[in-house]
Amino acid sequence: MGIICWNVSKKLKECIKDDVIDRKGIRKLCKLLLKSHVPGTQDILLKYGVAKSEVITGVQCPNCKAFGMTRVRRKWFCEKCGCFDKSAHVEAVKDFFLLMNSTMSNKQFREFTHLTSVDMASKLLMRMNLPSSGANKGRVYHPQ
Ligand SMILES: [Zn+2]
């Protein structure tokens, strides 16, 4: 147990830079704590005094790690490094389930990924084949 604690605290320091923990850091932390059998995503945000509103939203560029990719020519485009990615939103969805909520509506998906089009959001969500419940506007998606 002692070794595990030491390991967690060492890795924890790697997640936090300049006293700031970003979405990537929180995600790393979640994985680490889950691996160490420490329960609860909600508890993690609470424990580190991070409000849901403080979690950085937007699709993260897999290349340069900048947040806020936009949809260009049916792909995600990073204005920072110019890279295109087809499925960058998948990671954002995983982050959402880990950090924000256990279910996700079309609206929540759009808010989290900064998408404006309901249809585009529906298409992307449908292609992910996530389990869902409810219908039409009441439909929510669940983690796989
Ligand atoms: Zn980039």
Side-chain angles (χ1 to χ4, degrees):
M1 187 61 196
I3 288 167
I4 292 170
C5 284
W6 179 81
N7 205 13
V8 167
S9 87
K10 186 171 159 255
K11 291 212 170 145
L12 183 59
K13 277 178 194 148
E14 291 168 11
C15 297
I16 304 172
K17 289 176 190 114
D18 304 322
D19 288 334
V20 173
I21 184 160
D22 64 11
R23 185 144 71 89
K24 196 83 190 166
I26 292 169
R27 223 175 142 233
K28 265 193 204 166
L29 193 59
C30 288
K31 282 184 180 166
L32 185 68
L33 292 173
L34 286 173
K35 255 204 289 192
S36 314
H37 306 288
V38 180
T41 299
Q42 300 291 339
D43 297 342
I44 294 166
L45 291 184
L46 211 67
K47 187 170 175 186
Y48 294 98
V50 179
K52 281 184 183 179
S53 60
E54 288 176 289
V55 174
I56 300 164
T57 59
V59 172
Q60 189 175 29
C61 173
N63 187 44
C64 75
K65 311 299 176 201
F67 284 94
M69 294 184 96
T70 52
R71 291 294 290 181
V72 177
R73 280 180 272 146
R74 302 169 77 184
K75 286 177 187 161
W76 292 101
F77 173 66
C78 175
E79 283 171 24
K80 286 254 168 67
C81 73
C83 120
F84 283 91
D85 192 276
K86 262 192 168 172
S87 53
H89 61 283
V90 174
E91 285 302 308
V93 170
K94 287 183 194 167
D95 287 352
F96 184 92
F97 285 133
L98 272 172
L99 301 173
M100 309 301 274
N101 208 9
S102 56
T103 62
M104 185 180 60
S105 66
N106 183 300
K107 185 168 182 274
Q108 287 171 319
F109 176 65
R110 280 182 282 131
E111 279 167 2
F112 203 66
T113 56
H114 302 178
L115 273 175
T116 47
S117 160
V118 178
D119 290 343
M120 172 65 65
S122 297
K123 270 182 201 160
L124 289 174
L125 285 166
M126 224 151 66
R127 268 185 233 144
M128 282 186 73
N129 277 323
L130 294 167
S132 67
S133 56
N136 304 321
K137 281 196 170 177
R139 186 186 302 276
V140 291
Y141 298 85
H142 305 268
Q144 218 128 29

PDB file of all heavy atoms in Angstrom, residues 57-95:
ATOM      1  N   THR A  57     -13.040  22.963 -21.990  1.00  0.00           N
ATOM      2  CA  THR A  57     -13.834  22.262 -22.999  1.00  0.00           C
ATOM      3  C   THR A  57     -13.215  22.473 -24.378  1.00  0.00           C
ATOM      4  O   THR A  57     -12.255  23.229 -24.533  1.00  0.00           O
ATOM      5  CB  THR A  57     -15.296  22.762 -22.994  1.00  0.00           C
ATOM      6  OG1 THR A  57     -15.291  24.164 -23.255  1.00  0.00           O
ATOM      7  CG2 THR A  57     -15.973  22.489 -21.658  1.00  0.00           C
ATOM      8  N   GLY A  58     -13.792  21.802 -25.360  1.00  0.00           N
ATOM      9  CA  GLY A  58     -13.248  21.879 -26.710  1.00  0.00           C
ATOM     10  C   GLY A  58     -12.523  20.594 -27.049  1.00  0.00           C
ATOM     11  O   GLY A  58     -12.090  19.871 -26.160  1.00  0.00           O
ATOM     12  N   VAL A  59     -12.429  20.329 -28.334  1.00  0.00           N
ATOM     13  CA  VAL A  59     -11.761  19.115 -28.800  1.00  0.00           C
ATOM     14  C   VAL A  59     -10.257  19.363 -28.821  1.00  0.00           C
ATOM     15  O   VAL A  59      -9.790  20.370 -29.334  1.00  0.00           O
ATOM     16  CB  VAL A  59     -12.283  18.711 -30.201  1.00  0.00           C
ATOM     17  CG1 VAL A  59     -11.469  17.570 -30.788  1.00  0.00           C
ATOM     18  CG2 VAL A  59     -13.757  18.335 -30.114  1.00  0.00           C
ATOM     19  N   GLN A  60      -9.515  18.429 -28.233  1.00  0.00           N
ATOM     20  CA  GLN A  60      -8.069  18.609 -28.135  1.00  0.00           C
ATOM     21  C   GLN A  60      -7.349  18.039 -29.355  1.00  0.00           C
ATOM     22  O   GLN A  60      -7.658  16.944 -29.820  1.00  0.00           O
ATOM     23  CB  GLN A  60      -7.551  17.925 -26.864  1.00  0.00           C
ATOM     24  CG  GLN A  60      -6.097  18.264 -26.578  1.00  0.00           C
ATOM     25  CD  GLN A  60      -5.596  17.685 -25.264  1.00  0.00           C
ATOM     26  OE1 GLN A  60      -6.069  16.653 -24.813  1.00  0.00           O
ATOM     27  NE2 GLN A  60      -4.637  18.347 -24.661  1.00  0.00           N
ATOM     28  N   CYS A  61      -6.397  18.813 -29.833  1.00  0.00           N
ATOM     29  CA  CYS A  61      -5.597  18.375 -30.977  1.00  0.00           C
ATOM     30  C   CYS A  61      -4.680  17.228 -30.554  1.00  0.00           C
ATOM     31  O   CYS A  61      -3.916  17.373 -29.600  1.00  0.00           O
ATOM     32  CB  CYS A  61      -4.759  19.545 -31.500  1.00  0.00           C
ATOM     33  SG  CYS A  61      -3.582  19.059 -32.769  1.00  0.00           S
ATOM     34  N   PRO A  62      -4.749  16.085 -31.263  1.00  0.00           N
ATOM     35  CA  PRO A  62      -3.889  14.958 -30.888  1.00  0.00           C
ATOM     36  C   PRO A  62      -2.421  15.232 -31.185  1.00  0.00           C
ATOM     37  O   PRO A  62      -1.541  14.582 -30.637  1.00  0.00           O
ATOM     38  CB  PRO A  62      -4.410  13.799 -31.746  1.00  0.00           C
ATOM     39  CG  PRO A  62      -5.163  14.428 -32.857  1.00  0.00           C
ATOM     40  CD  PRO A  62      -5.625  15.783 -32.400  1.00  0.00           C
ATOM     41  N   ASN A  63      -2.175  16.241 -32.018  1.00  0.00           N
ATOM     42  CA  ASN A  63      -0.797  16.554 -32.411  1.00  0.00           C
ATOM     43  C   ASN A  63      -0.128  17.526 -31.448  1.00  0.00           C
ATOM     44  O   ASN A  63       0.872  17.202 -30.821  1.00  0.00           O
ATOM     45  CB  ASN A  63      -0.800  17.106 -33.839  1.00  0.00           C
ATOM     46  CG  ASN A  63       0.606  17.300 -34.368  1.00  0.00           C
ATOM     47  OD1 ASN A  63       1.465  16.431 -34.187  1.00  0.00           O
ATOM     48  ND2 ASN A  63       0.846  18.436 -34.997  1.00  0.00           N
ATOM     49  N   CYS A  64      -0.701  18.729 -31.290  1.00  0.00           N
ATOM     50  CA  CYS A  64      -0.035  19.744 -30.456  1.00  0.00           C
ATOM     51  C   CYS A  64      -0.714  19.928 -29.107  1.00  0.00           C
ATOM     52  O   CYS A  64      -0.270  20.721 -28.288  1.00  0.00           O
ATOM     53  CB  CYS A  64       0.032  21.081 -31.195  1.00  0.00           C
ATOM     54  SG  CYS A  64      -1.550  21.947 -31.264  1.00  0.00           S
ATOM     55  N   LYS A  65      -1.800  19.197 -28.866  1.00  0.00           N
ATOM     56  CA  LYS A  65      -2.518  19.190 -27.580  1.00  0.00           C
ATOM     57  C   LYS A  65      -3.304  20.474 -27.284  1.00  0.00           C
ATOM     58  O   LYS A  65      -3.791  20.648 -26.171  1.00  0.00           O
ATOM     59  CB  LYS A  65      -1.565  18.893 -26.394  1.00  0.00           C
ATOM     60  CG  LYS A  65      -0.659  17.687 -26.574  1.00  0.00           C
ATOM     61  CD  LYS A  65      -1.444  16.416 -26.736  1.00  0.00           C
ATOM     62  CE  LYS A  65      -0.524  15.211 -27.007  1.00  0.00           C
ATOM     63  NZ  LYS A  65      -1.220  14.099 -27.637  1.00  0.00           N
ATOM     64  N   ALA A  66      -3.395  21.374 -28.250  1.00  0.00           N
ATOM     65  CA  ALA A  66      -4.190  22.594 -28.053  1.00  0.00           C
ATOM     66  C   ALA A  66      -5.676  22.235 -28.056  1.00  0.00           C
ATOM     67  O   ALA A  66      -6.090  21.298 -28.738  1.00  0.00           O
ATOM     68  CB  ALA A  66      -3.892  23.587 -29.166  1.00  0.00           C
ATOM     69  N   PHE A  67      -6.462  22.970 -27.280  1.00  0.00           N
ATOM     70  CA  PHE A  67      -7.899  22.733 -27.249  1.00  0.00           C
ATOM     71  C   PHE A  67      -8.597  23.659 -28.243  1.00  0.00           C
ATOM     72  O   PHE A  67      -8.095  24.733 -28.556  1.00  0.00           O
ATOM     73  CB  PHE A  67      -8.452  22.990 -25.841  1.00  0.00           C
ATOM     74  CG  PHE A  67      -8.136  21.877 -24.884  1.00  0.00           C
ATOM     75  CD1 PHE A  67      -7.001  21.943 -24.074  1.00  0.00           C
ATOM     76  CD2 PHE A  67      -8.955  20.761 -24.790  1.00  0.00           C
ATOM     77  CE1 PHE A  67      -6.694  20.913 -23.187  1.00  0.00           C
ATOM     78  CE2 PHE A  67      -8.662  19.742 -23.916  1.00  0.00           C
ATOM     79  CZ  PHE A  67      -7.539  19.810 -23.109  1.00  0.00           C
ATOM     80  N   GLY A  68      -9.777  23.225 -28.709  1.00  0.00           N
ATOM     81  CA  GLY A  68     -10.593  24.095 -29.555  1.00  0.00           C
ATOM     82  C   GLY A  68     -10.473  23.816 -31.033  1.00  0.00           C
ATOM     83  O   GLY A  68     -10.471  24.734 -31.847  1.00  0.00           O
ATOM     84  N   MET A  69     -10.377  22.538 -31.416  1.00  0.00           N
ATOM     85  CA  MET A  69     -10.367  22.202 -32.842  1.00  0.00           C
ATOM     86  C   MET A  69     -11.739  22.539 -33.429  1.00  0.00           C
ATOM     87  O   MET A  69     -12.746  22.504 -32.730  1.00  0.00           O
ATOM     88  CB  MET A  69     -10.072  20.711 -33.053  1.00  0.00           C
ATOM     89  CG  MET A  69      -8.685  20.284 -32.638  1.00  0.00           C
ATOM     90  SD  MET A  69      -8.373  18.538 -33.022  1.00  0.00           S
ATOM     91  CE  MET A  69      -7.538  18.685 -34.615  1.00  0.00           C
ATOM     92  N   THR A  70     -11.764  22.863 -34.706  1.00  0.00           N
ATOM     93  CA  THR A  70     -13.026  23.208 -35.366  1.00  0.00           C
ATOM     94  C   THR A  70     -13.285  22.242 -36.515  1.00  0.00           C
ATOM     95  O   THR A  70     -12.356  21.589 -37.006  1.00  0.00           O
ATOM     96  CB  THR A  70     -12.982  24.646 -35.913  1.00  0.00           C
ATOM     97  OG1 THR A  70     -11.805  24.796 -36.704  1.00  0.00           O
ATOM     98  CG2 THR A  70     -12.955  25.672 -34.792  1.00  0.00           C
ATOM     99  N   ARG A  71     -14.545  22.144 -36.964  1.00  0.00           N
ATOM    100  CA  ARG A  71     -14.889  21.248 -38.062  1.00  0.00           C
ATOM    101  C   ARG A  71     -14.610  21.942 -39.387  1.00  0.00           C
ATOM    102  O   ARG A  71     -15.164  23.006 -39.672  1.00  0.00           O
ATOM    103  CB  ARG A  71     -16.367  20.860 -38.008  1.00  0.00           C
ATOM    104  CG  ARG A  71     -16.752  19.973 -36.847  1.00  0.00           C
ATOM    105  CD  ARG A  71     -16.137  18.602 -36.890  1.00  0.00           C
ATOM    106  NE  ARG A  71     -16.676  17.733 -37.949  1.00  0.00           N
ATOM    107  CZ  ARG A  71     -16.294  16.485 -38.149  1.00  0.00           C
ATOM    108  NH1 ARG A  71     -15.363  15.937 -37.378  1.00  0.00           N
ATOM    109  NH2 ARG A  71     -16.813  15.773 -39.118  1.00  0.00           N
ATOM    110  N   VAL A  72     -13.723  21.357 -40.152  1.00  0.00           N
ATOM    111  CA  VAL A  72     -13.428  21.865 -41.492  1.00  0.00           C
ATOM    112  C   VAL A  72     -13.382  20.656 -42.428  1.00  0.00           C
ATOM    113  O   VAL A  72     -12.697  19.674 -42.148  1.00  0.00           O
ATOM    114  CB  VAL A  72     -12.060  22.605 -41.525  1.00  0.00           C
ATOM    115  CG1 VAL A  72     -11.732  23.054 -42.943  1.00  0.00           C
ATOM    116  CG2 VAL A  72     -12.057  23.794 -40.586  1.00  0.00           C
ATOM    117  N   ARG A  73     -14.096  20.726 -43.497  1.00  0.00           N
ATOM    118  CA  ARG A  73     -14.132  19.649 -44.496  1.00  0.00           C
ATOM    119  C   ARG A  73     -14.318  18.269 -43.854  1.00  0.00           C
ATOM    120  O   ARG A  73     -13.545  17.353 -44.058  1.00  0.00           O
ATOM    121  CB  ARG A  73     -12.858  19.687 -45.361  1.00  0.00           C
ATOM    122  CG  ARG A  73     -12.951  20.758 -46.445  1.00  0.00           C
ATOM    123  CD  ARG A  73     -11.690  20.786 -47.286  1.00  0.00           C
ATOM    124  NE  ARG A  73     -10.683  21.660 -46.707  1.00  0.00           N
ATOM    125  CZ  ARG A  73      -9.376  21.446 -46.768  1.00  0.00           C
ATOM    126  NH1 ARG A  73      -8.906  20.384 -47.363  1.00  0.00           N
ATOM    127  NH2 ARG A  73      -8.534  22.287 -46.238  1.00  0.00           N
ATOM    128  N   ARG A  74     -15.332  18.143 -43.040  1.00  0.00           N
ATOM    129  CA  ARG A  74     -15.733  16.896 -42.380  1.00  0.00           C
ATOM    130  C   ARG A  74     -14.665  16.287 -41.486  1.00  0.00           C
ATOM    131  O   ARG A  74     -14.687  15.097 -41.185  1.00  0.00           O
ATOM    132  CB  ARG A  74     -16.194  15.870 -43.433  1.00  0.00           C
ATOM    133  CG  ARG A  74     -17.350  16.403 -44.257  1.00  0.00           C
ATOM    134  CD  ARG A  74     -17.629  15.525 -45.443  1.00  0.00           C
ATOM    135  NE  ARG A  74     -18.345  14.326 -45.031  1.00  0.00           N
ATOM    136  CZ  ARG A  74     -18.658  13.346 -45.867  1.00  0.00           C
ATOM    137  NH1 ARG A  74     -18.295  13.418 -47.114  1.00  0.00           N
ATOM    138  NH2 ARG A  74     -19.321  12.314 -45.449  1.00  0.00           N
ATOM    139  N   LYS A  75     -13.705  17.131 -41.098  1.00  0.00           N
ATOM    140  CA  LYS A  75     -12.688  16.666 -40.151  1.00  0.00           C
ATOM    141  C   LYS A  75     -12.506  17.727 -39.087  1.00  0.00           C
ATOM    142  O   LYS A  75     -12.964  18.850 -39.230  1.00  0.00           O
ATOM    143  CB  LYS A  75     -11.353  16.446 -40.871  1.00  0.00           C
ATOM    144  CG  LYS A  75     -11.335  15.202 -41.727  1.00  0.00           C
ATOM    145  CD  LYS A  75     -10.012  15.109 -42.453  1.00  0.00           C
ATOM    146  CE  LYS A  75     -10.047  13.952 -43.442  1.00  0.00           C
ATOM    147  NZ  LYS A  75      -9.014  14.071 -44.449  1.00  0.00           N
ATOM    148  N   TRP A  76     -11.791  17.357 -38.020  1.00  0.00           N
ATOM    149  CA  TRP A  76     -11.421  18.336 -37.010  1.00  0.00           C
ATOM    150  C   TRP A  76     -10.140  19.011 -37.454  1.00  0.00           C
ATOM    151  O   TRP A  76      -9.201  18.342 -37.864  1.00  0.00           O
ATOM    152  CB  TRP A  76     -11.222  17.657 -35.650  1.00  0.00           C
ATOM    153  CG  TRP A  76     -12.503  17.135 -35.078  1.00  0.00           C
ATOM    154  CD1 TRP A  76     -12.938  15.846 -35.098  1.00  0.00           C
ATOM    155  CD2 TRP A  76     -13.515  17.906 -34.408  1.00  0.00           C
ATOM    156  NE1 TRP A  76     -14.171  15.762 -34.490  1.00  0.00           N
ATOM    157  CE2 TRP A  76     -14.547  17.002 -34.055  1.00  0.00           C
ATOM    158  CE3 TRP A  76     -13.657  19.256 -34.089  1.00  0.00           C
ATOM    159  CZ2 TRP A  76     -15.692  17.425 -33.387  1.00  0.00           C
ATOM    160  CZ3 TRP A  76     -14.794  19.669 -33.419  1.00  0.00           C
ATOM    161  CH2 TRP A  76     -15.796  18.753 -33.081  1.00  0.00           C
ATOM    162  N   PHE A  77     -10.129  20.351 -37.348  1.00  0.00           N
ATOM    163  CA  PHE A  77      -8.961  21.106 -37.789  1.00  0.00           C
ATOM    164  C   PHE A  77      -8.383  21.896 -36.619  1.00  0.00           C
ATOM    165  O   PHE A  77      -9.112  22.519 -35.850  1.00  0.00           O
ATOM    166  CB  PHE A  77      -9.366  22.070 -38.910  1.00  0.00           C
ATOM    167  CG  PHE A  77      -8.269  23.020 -39.316  1.00  0.00           C
ATOM    168  CD1 PHE A  77      -7.116  22.529 -39.926  1.00  0.00           C
ATOM    169  CD2 PHE A  77      -8.377  24.379 -39.087  1.00  0.00           C
ATOM    170  CE1 PHE A  77      -6.093  23.388 -40.308  1.00  0.00           C
ATOM    171  CE2 PHE A  77      -7.354  25.251 -39.455  1.00  0.00           C
ATOM    172  CZ  PHE A  77      -6.212  24.747 -40.072  1.00  0.00           C
ATOM    173  N   CYS A  78      -7.052  21.844 -36.465  1.00  0.00           N
ATOM    174  CA  CYS A  78      -6.383  22.611 -35.412  1.00  0.00           C
ATOM    175  C   CYS A  78      -5.777  23.871 -36.016  1.00  0.00           C
ATOM    176  O   CYS A  78      -4.915  23.788 -36.898  1.00  0.00           O
ATOM    177  CB  CYS A  78      -5.296  21.766 -34.750  1.00  0.00           C
ATOM    178  SG  CYS A  78      -4.325  22.686 -33.555  1.00  0.00           S
ATOM    179  N   GLU A  79      -6.263  25.010 -35.530  1.00  0.00           N
ATOM    180  CA  GLU A  79      -5.752  26.276 -36.058  1.00  0.00           C
ATOM    181  C   GLU A  79      -4.324  26.550 -35.598  1.00  0.00           C
ATOM    182  O   GLU A  79      -3.593  27.305 -36.220  1.00  0.00           O
ATOM    183  CB  GLU A  79      -6.669  27.430 -35.630  1.00  0.00           C
ATOM    184  CG  GLU A  79      -7.936  27.474 -36.462  1.00  0.00           C
ATOM    185  CD  GLU A  79      -8.957  28.462 -35.935  1.00  0.00           C
ATOM    186  OE1 GLU A  79      -8.559  29.419 -35.241  1.00  0.00           O
ATOM    187  OE2 GLU A  79     -10.157  28.259 -36.219  1.00  0.00           O
ATOM    188  N   LYS A  80      -3.934  25.914 -34.486  1.00  0.00           N
ATOM    189  CA  LYS A  80      -2.584  26.142 -33.948  1.00  0.00           C
ATOM    190  C   LYS A  80      -1.506  25.501 -34.819  1.00  0.00           C
ATOM    191  O   LYS A  80      -0.518  26.131 -35.145  1.00  0.00           O
ATOM    192  CB  LYS A  80      -2.493  25.590 -32.521  1.00  0.00           C
ATOM    193  CG  LYS A  80      -3.204  26.447 -31.491  1.00  0.00           C
ATOM    194  CD  LYS A  80      -2.189  27.215 -30.640  1.00  0.00           C
ATOM    195  CE  LYS A  80      -2.854  28.283 -29.811  1.00  0.00           C
ATOM    196  NZ  LYS A  80      -3.737  27.723 -28.763  1.00  0.00           N
ATOM    197  N   CYS A  81      -1.726  24.223 -35.172  1.00  0.00           N
ATOM    198  CA  CYS A  81      -0.656  23.513 -35.887  1.00  0.00           C
ATOM    199  C   CYS A  81      -1.064  23.087 -37.296  1.00  0.00           C
ATOM    200  O   CYS A  81      -0.255  22.544 -38.037  1.00  0.00           O
ATOM    201  CB  CYS A  81      -0.174  22.308 -35.080  1.00  0.00           C
ATOM    202  SG  CYS A  81      -1.332  20.930 -35.052  1.00  0.00           S
ATOM    203  N   GLY A  82      -2.323  23.322 -37.648  1.00  0.00           N
ATOM    204  CA  GLY A  82      -2.763  23.025 -39.012  1.00  0.00           C
ATOM    205  C   GLY A  82      -3.075  21.563 -39.268  1.00  0.00           C
ATOM    206  O   GLY A  82      -3.245  21.161 -40.413  1.00  0.00           O
ATOM    207  N   CYS A  83      -3.147  20.764 -38.204  1.00  0.00           N
ATOM    208  CA  CYS A  83      -3.381  19.341 -38.419  1.00  0.00           C
ATOM    209  C   CYS A  83      -4.875  19.004 -38.493  1.00  0.00           C
ATOM    210  O   CYS A  83      -5.712  19.670 -37.901  1.00  0.00           O
ATOM    211  CB  CYS A  83      -2.619  18.541 -37.360  1.00  0.00           C
ATOM    212  SG  CYS A  83      -3.572  17.495 -36.303  1.00  0.00           S
ATOM    213  N   PHE A  84      -5.208  17.996 -39.279  1.00  0.00           N
ATOM    214  CA  PHE A  84      -6.575  17.506 -39.399  1.00  0.00           C
ATOM    215  C   PHE A  84      -6.691  16.164 -38.672  1.00  0.00           C
ATOM    216  O   PHE A  84      -5.740  15.387 -38.658  1.00  0.00           O
ATOM    217  CB  PHE A  84      -6.939  17.294 -40.873  1.00  0.00           C
ATOM    218  CG  PHE A  84      -7.252  18.564 -41.598  1.00  0.00           C
ATOM    219  CD1 PHE A  84      -6.250  19.269 -42.255  1.00  0.00           C
ATOM    220  CD2 PHE A  84      -8.550  19.051 -41.636  1.00  0.00           C
ATOM    221  CE1 PHE A  84      -6.539  20.445 -42.935  1.00  0.00           C
ATOM    222  CE2 PHE A  84      -8.856  20.221 -42.319  1.00  0.00           C
ATOM    223  CZ  PHE A  84      -7.839  20.918 -42.963  1.00  0.00           C
ATOM    224  N   ASP A  85      -7.849  15.909 -38.108  1.00  0.00           N
ATOM    225  CA  ASP A  85      -8.074  14.606 -37.475  1.00  0.00           C
ATOM    226  C   ASP A  85      -9.546  14.228 -37.621  1.00  0.00           C
ATOM    227  O   ASP A  85     -10.424  15.057 -37.459  1.00  0.00           O
ATOM    228  CB  ASP A  85      -7.692  14.664 -35.987  1.00  0.00           C
ATOM    229  CG  ASP A  85      -7.630  13.276 -35.371  1.00  0.00           C
ATOM    230  OD1 ASP A  85      -8.681  12.759 -34.960  1.00  0.00           O
ATOM    231  OD2 ASP A  85      -6.520  12.714 -35.320  1.00  0.00           O
ATOM    232  N   LYS A  86      -9.777  12.970 -37.931  1.00  0.00           N
ATOM    233  CA  LYS A  86     -11.147  12.512 -38.164  1.00  0.00           C
ATOM    234  C   LYS A  86     -11.913  12.256 -36.870  1.00  0.00           C
ATOM    235  O   LYS A  86     -13.118  12.458 -36.810  1.00  0.00           O
ATOM    236  CB  LYS A  86     -11.120  11.213 -38.983  1.00  0.00           C
ATOM    237  CG  LYS A  86     -11.360  11.436 -40.463  1.00  0.00           C
ATOM    238  CD  LYS A  86     -11.599  10.111 -41.151  1.00  0.00           C
ATOM    239  CE  LYS A  86     -12.136  10.332 -42.556  1.00  0.00           C
ATOM    240  NZ  LYS A  86     -12.211   9.087 -43.311  1.00  0.00           N
ATOM    241  N   SER A  87     -11.198  11.775 -35.864  1.00  0.00           N
ATOM    242  CA  SER A  87     -11.917  11.277 -34.686  1.00  0.00           C
ATOM    243  C   SER A  87     -11.462  11.908 -33.372  1.00  0.00           C
ATOM    244  O   SER A  87     -11.530  11.285 -32.316  1.00  0.00           O
ATOM    245  CB  SER A  87     -11.771   9.761 -34.608  1.00  0.00           C
ATOM    246  OG  SER A  87     -10.406   9.427 -34.654  1.00  0.00           O
ATOM    247  N   ALA A  88     -11.005  13.154 -33.420  1.00  0.00           N
ATOM    248  CA  ALA A  88     -10.501  13.818 -32.211  1.00  0.00           C
ATOM    249  C   ALA A  88     -11.593  13.982 -31.149  1.00  0.00           C
ATOM    250  O   ALA A  88     -11.293  14.077 -29.955  1.00  0.00           O
ATOM    251  CB  ALA A  88      -9.898  15.175 -32.563  1.00  0.00           C
ATOM    252  N   HIS A  89     -12.861  13.992 -31.583  1.00  0.00           N
ATOM    253  CA  HIS A  89     -13.959  14.174 -30.624  1.00  0.00           C
ATOM    254  C   HIS A  89     -14.149  12.955 -29.714  1.00  0.00           C
ATOM    255  O   HIS A  89     -14.733  13.066 -28.655  1.00  0.00           O
ATOM    256  CB  HIS A  89     -15.264  14.463 -31.374  1.00  0.00           C
ATOM    257  CG  HIS A  89     -15.672  13.348 -32.277  1.00  0.00           C
ATOM    258  ND1 HIS A  89     -15.067  13.124 -33.494  1.00  0.00           N
ATOM    259  CD2 HIS A  89     -16.595  12.365 -32.127  1.00  0.00           C
ATOM    260  CE1 HIS A  89     -15.624  12.061 -34.071  1.00  0.00           C
ATOM    261  NE2 HIS A  89     -16.545  11.582 -33.261  1.00  0.00           N
ATOM    262  N   VAL A  90     -13.641  11.804 -30.146  1.00  0.00           N
ATOM    263  CA  VAL A  90     -13.820  10.584 -29.351  1.00  0.00           C
ATOM    264  C   VAL A  90     -13.173  10.749 -27.967  1.00  0.00           C
ATOM    265  O   VAL A  90     -13.748  10.371 -26.951  1.00  0.00           O
ATOM    266  CB  VAL A  90     -13.240   9.351 -30.100  1.00  0.00           C
ATOM    267  CG1 VAL A  90     -13.278   8.115 -29.225  1.00  0.00           C
ATOM    268  CG2 VAL A  90     -14.020   9.116 -31.383  1.00  0.00           C
ATOM    269  N   GLU A  91     -11.983  11.343 -27.958  1.00  0.00           N
ATOM    270  CA  GLU A  91     -11.301  11.574 -26.683  1.00  0.00           C
ATOM    271  C   GLU A  91     -12.085  12.555 -25.808  1.00  0.00           C
ATOM    272  O   GLU A  91     -12.156  12.399 -24.589  1.00  0.00           O
ATOM    273  CB  GLU A  91      -9.878  12.115 -26.914  1.00  0.00           C
ATOM    274  CG  GLU A  91      -8.894  11.069 -27.383  1.00  0.00           C
ATOM    275  CD  GLU A  91      -8.754   9.895 -26.413  1.00  0.00           C
ATOM    276  OE1 GLU A  91      -8.513  10.124 -25.214  1.00  0.00           O
ATOM    277  OE2 GLU A  91      -8.911   8.743 -26.869  1.00  0.00           O
ATOM    278  N   ALA A  92     -12.680  13.563 -26.448  1.00  0.00           N
ATOM    279  CA  ALA A  92     -13.473  14.548 -25.703  1.00  0.00           C
ATOM    280  C   ALA A  92     -14.682  13.866 -25.045  1.00  0.00           C
ATOM    281  O   ALA A  92     -15.033  14.181 -23.910  1.00  0.00           O
ATOM    282  CB  ALA A  92     -13.927  15.677 -26.626  1.00  0.00           C
ATOM    283  N   VAL A  93     -15.283  12.939 -25.774  1.00  0.00           N
ATOM    284  CA  VAL A  93     -16.438  12.209 -25.220  1.00  0.00           C
ATOM    285  C   VAL A  93     -16.009  11.380 -24.013  1.00  0.00           C
ATOM    286  O   VAL A  93     -16.676  11.364 -22.978  1.00  0.00           O
ATOM    287  CB  VAL A  93     -17.095  11.316 -26.310  1.00  0.00           C
ATOM    288  CG1 VAL A  93     -18.123  10.375 -25.713  1.00  0.00           C
ATOM    289  CG2 VAL A  93     -17.747  12.188 -27.374  1.00  0.00           C
ATOM    290  N   LYS A  94     -14.858  10.733 -24.139  1.00  0.00           N
ATOM    291  CA  LYS A  94     -14.334   9.947 -23.007  1.00  0.00           C
ATOM    292  C   LYS A  94     -14.089  10.848 -21.805  1.00  0.00           C
ATOM    293  O   LYS A  94     -14.409  10.511 -20.678  1.00  0.00           O
ATOM    294  CB  LYS A  94     -13.022   9.246 -23.400  1.00  0.00           C
ATOM    295  CG  LYS A  94     -13.204   8.071 -24.335  1.00  0.00           C
ATOM    296  CD  LYS A  94     -11.840   7.439 -24.583  1.00  0.00           C
ATOM    297  CE  LYS A  94     -11.899   6.480 -25.762  1.00  0.00           C
ATOM    298  NZ  LYS A  94     -10.525   6.116 -26.187  1.00  0.00           N
ATOM    299  N   ASP A  95     -13.495  12.017 -22.073  1.00  0.00           N
ATOM    300  CA  ASP A  95     -13.235  12.994 -21.000  1.00  0.00           C
ATOM    301  C   ASP A  95     -14.542  13.417 -20.341  1.00  0.00           C
ATOM    302  O   ASP A  95     -14.618  13.533 -19.120  1.00  0.00           O
ATOM    303  CB  ASP A  95     -12.539  14.242 -21.562  1.00  0.00           C
ATOM    304  CG  ASP A  95     -11.091  13.975 -21.915  1.00  0.00           C
ATOM    305  OD1 ASP A  95     -10.583  12.888 -21.583  1.00  0.00           O
ATOM    306  OD2 ASP A  95     -10.465  14.854 -22.528  1.00  0.00           O
TER     307      ASP A  95
END
